[in-house]
Amino acid sequence: MDKIFKPQEVDSLIPRLESIFQHMDGCQKRTQELATSRPPLGATPGPAEIAESARIRSQMEFLLQVVQEDVELIGGLGGVVKDLGAGLVDFPGRVDGEDVWLCWKRGESKIDFWHPLYAGFSERRTLRRSDNRASTTH
């Protein structure tokens, strides 16, 4: 792990993460709209049908690329997107001297959970915050 995050450091990134996820929501919604608006091509489509289908496909590919860039942006902040739909992002951290994932789920206002590196969301544990005189180490 390149950087070990303190919970407070991740807390400061949450507004940015929420904004990025909102952007991805818009891109994914528009992609779905385009997918449903795309006319099915008949057995012998005409040039106009082919062009319209290609235009819509191109827009969808662009939007999906933007979502991928947003995922990479989160990576550049130090997070690892674990579940795009659920809005799960893990950040490398340390609890009681152990390397762990500080686990954030979209909608949470601060980092309250962690899980071991080998475990996932289902094994989240409550974080004892140092600002609550707990033994979280960094």
Side-chain angles (χ1 to χ4, degrees), residues 34-53:
L34 288 167
T36 58
S37 73
R38 192 171 175 189
L41 295 178
T44 54
E49 291 173 306
I50 293 171
E52 180 63 6
S53 182

Side-chain angles (χ1 to χ4, degrees), residues 2-138:
D2 293 339
K3 176 173 175 47
I4 302 297
F5 285 84
K6 296 179 183 177
Q8 297 81 357
E9 290 176 303
V10 180
D11 291 348
S12 70
L13 296 174
I14 290 174
R16 182 80 191 271
L17 293 171
E18 289 284 4
S19 176
I20 293 169
F21 272 97
Q22 287 176 350
H23 185 250
M24 286 190 285
D25 285 348
C27 291
Q28 290 175 317
K29 180 181 179 198
R30 181 65 182 136
T31 300
Q32 287 299 320
E33 291 169 353
L34 288 167
T36 58
S37 73
R38 192 171 175 189
L41 295 178
T44 54
E49 291 173 306
I50 293 171
E52 180 63 6
S53 182
R55 183 188 67 78
I56 291 173
R57 185 182 65 244
S58 177
Q59 288 180 351
M60 291 170 60
E61 289 171 356
F62 172 78
L63 290 165
L64 293 173
Q65 179 60 39
V66 170
V67 169
Q68 180 59 40
E69 290 170 4
D70 282 346
V71 169
E72 292 169 7
L73 179 59
I74 291 171
L77 296 173
V80 177
V81 176
K82 296 293 180 107
D83 186 323
L84 187 61
L88 293 177
V89 182
D90 287 347
F91 288 84
R94 190 164 288 134
V95 174
D96 296 331
E98 177 187 356
D99 288 340
V100 300
W101 291 114
L102 299 175
C103 185
W104 176 76
K105 183 176 181 185
R106 189 173 181 190
E108 296 174 344
S109 62
K110 65 180 184 169
I111 293 293
D112 284 323
F113 300 97
W114 65 278
H115 59 79
L117 295 178
Y118 57 83
F121 180 82
S122 64
E123 295 186 44
R124 290 194 335 163
R125 301 173 188 171
T126 301
L127 181 66
R128 294 175 291 150
R129 302 281 297 232
S130 60
D131 52 342
N132 294 334
R133 290 182 267 150
S135 63
T136 304
T137 58
H138 313 286

